[in-house]
Amino acid sequence: MDVGLVLQTDPPGSLVVERMCRAEAAGFSHGWTFDSCVLWQEPFVIYSQILARTSRLTVGPMVTNPATRSWEVTASLFATLNEMFGNRTVCGIGRGDSAQRVAGRKPATLARLGEAMHVIKELAEGRSVELDGTELHLPWVRDGRLPVWMAAYGPRALELTGRQADGFILQLADPYLTEYMVKAVRAAAAAAGRDPASVRICVAAPAYVTADDSPAALAHAREQCRWFGGMVGNHVADLVRHYGEHSDLVPEELTEYIKGRQGYDYAHHGRAGNPDTAFVPDAIVDRFCLIGPVAAQLARLERLRELGVDQFAVYAMHDAIEATIDAYGAEVIPRL
């Protein structure tokens, strides 16, 4: 199993670069960032610096979207980085939650997302594609390669992922829900005539390594990671609005916990101490995140690997970012 690192592009950008260099030295395979350019700094500028300072790390957004940049611009950004640094990018993409909503716009439709994934991949890999009635081609691309990994939760999004994407990004680390959603993606891939095993599976969630499993240590770790349940809750709330509160199409294990959700202010998005996530119970933090000493982290990761997960991406948005990188490098990655 690969291990990736996910950071927000908070200033200074140089610190993001330094932490990604630290992650590569620790054995991480991927360096991911959020992509909401109102809330954080522009990630593609920072990717160029990360790639220049590393030799193995693959970088990309977790996740970009079809709306905040035109598709040929997104393709050109990836293709330029790949030409300079040797095909070391990956395009994580979704409908656009924070990037769109913080600007007062709705996320893109799944149909639009599917079109964008096709256009971005074709252009970045040097092929011609029709966009808005005009045939486009990036004539300078040579031997380009861009895996496109889609973030999804709901049944229609999981079907699109399996039918079209090179990889599936699941932003939670609950084994039951992971098994449920990986099966849905694999089934969709098979129905589309694809090899189900060809779709890479990435589970992304906060990891907080504690020195022991004392109540005080676990309580602190939960408070540092509770924000994640609120972030996932935004997507779950969309599913409930679309499919209803007790739909057979969405597992109740995913929807039950958001009943106490009152609203969400994106000014606190992805932040420890987010006041809009008090509704998230400890049990959800424990299920969705990896919290506890190294042995507990490894036990969960082994279970996820058994379910077909190819990469675990560590969301490091808490008060122990560098300690988590170092702990994974010293004690987790070598054992995987």
Side-chain angles (χ1 to χ4, degrees):
M1 178 189 284
D2 288 338
V3 177
L5 177 68
V6 190
L7 298 175
Q8 292 166 339
T9 53
D10 287 314
S14 58
L15 181 58
V16 179
V17 176
E18 292 295 336
R19 284 171 168 166
M20 289 300 188
C21 292
R22 189 182 191 118
E24 181 182 71
F28 286 72
S29 63
H30 287 66
W32 304 89
T33 75
F34 281 25
D35 179 16
S36 294
C37 297
V38 172
L39 296 174
W40 300 285
Q41 293 181 321
E42 165 58 47
F44 284 90
V45 176
I46 296 173
Y47 296 157
S48 67
Q49 294 295 307
I50 296 169
L51 290 166
R53 294 274 304 277
T54 58
S55 60
R56 296 178 293 99
L57 206 66
T58 295
V59 306
M62 187 177 282
V63 292
T64 192
N65 66 85
T68 52
R69 300 180 188 88
S70 63
W71 303 345
E72 68 271 24
V73 170
T74 299
S76 184
L77 287 166
F78 281 112
T80 300
L81 292 172
N82 283 338
E83 187 278 325
M84 293 176 68
F85 301 105
N87 287 334
R88 288 169 54 205
T89 68
V90 57
C91 177
I93 192 168
R95 293 174 56 223
D97 176 42
S98 61
Q100 283 291 90
R101 288 186 163 124
V102 77
R105 298 187 294 261
K106 292 181 179 180
T109 64
L110 286 174
R112 192 75 171 154
L113 175 55
E115 293 171 3
M117 289 195 296
H118 172 70
V119 169
I120 291 166
K121 184 176 180 67
E122 294 299 293
L123 288 175
E125 294 188 343
R127 294 182 289 274
S128 297
V129 67
E130 184 176 303
L131 176 59
D132 298 330
T134 299
E135 185 170 317
L136 294 181
H137 173 235
L138 302 181
W140 47 268
V141 174
R142 299 287 185 273
D143 301 318
R145 179 177 58 82
L146 182 65
V148 177
W149 295 11
M150 179 177 157
Y153 292 106
R156 291 178 57 236
L158 295 170
E159 190 279 330
L160 175 59
T161 302
R163 174 162 43 90
Q164 183 174 343
D166 299 307
F168 168 42
I169 296 172
L170 174 60
Q171 296 176 91
L172 53 80
D174 174 65
Y176 173 83
L177 291 169
T178 298
E179 182 175 20
Y180 179 98
M181 295 186 187
V182 168
K183 284 181 177 178
V185 168
R186 301 276 196 225
R194 306 176 69 195
D195 176 5
S198 69
V199 183
R200 302 280 291 174
I201 307 297
C202 175
V203 161
Y208 198 105
V209 182
T210 60
D212 53 46
D213 57 0
S214 66
L218 295 178
H220 178 77
R222 289 188 186 108
E223 289 310 312
Q224 288 294 307
C225 298
R226 198 175 304 278
W227 63 266
F228 183 70
M231 187 184 83
V232 174
N234 296 331
H235 302 285
V236 176
D238 278 348
L239 295 178
V240 170
R241 281 192 292 269
H242 187 78
Y243 294 103
E245 192 171 334
H246 300 290
S247 170
D248 293 337
L249 297 174
V250 182
E252 194 162 336
E253 288 82 358
L254 186 60
T255 60
E256 179 68 21
Y257 85 96
I258 69 161
K259 288 183 177 179
R261 182 178 182 269
Q262 299 297 318
Y264 194 86
D265 182 352
Y266 280 87
H268 308 291
H269 189 60
R271 305 288 189 191
N274 185 334
D276 297 322
T277 60
F279 72 93
V280 179
D282 287 353
I284 286 293
V285 180
D286 291 346
R287 287 179 60 181
F288 285 9
C289 307
L290 270 67
I291 287 173
V294 167
Q297 307 266 332
L298 284 167
R300 179 75 67 87
L301 291 169
E302 290 291 355
R303 178 62 183 135
L304 292 172
R305 181 159 60 179
E306 291 169 1
L307 296 173
V309 174
D310 300 295
Q311 179 182 155
F312 176 63
V314 176
Y315 272 147
M317 294 102 191
H318 46 54
D319 64 359
I321 294 173
E322 293 177 0
T324 299
I325 294 171
D326 294 346
Y328 262 68
E331 301 184 75
V332 176
I333 291 173
R335 301 190 197 184
L336 292 175

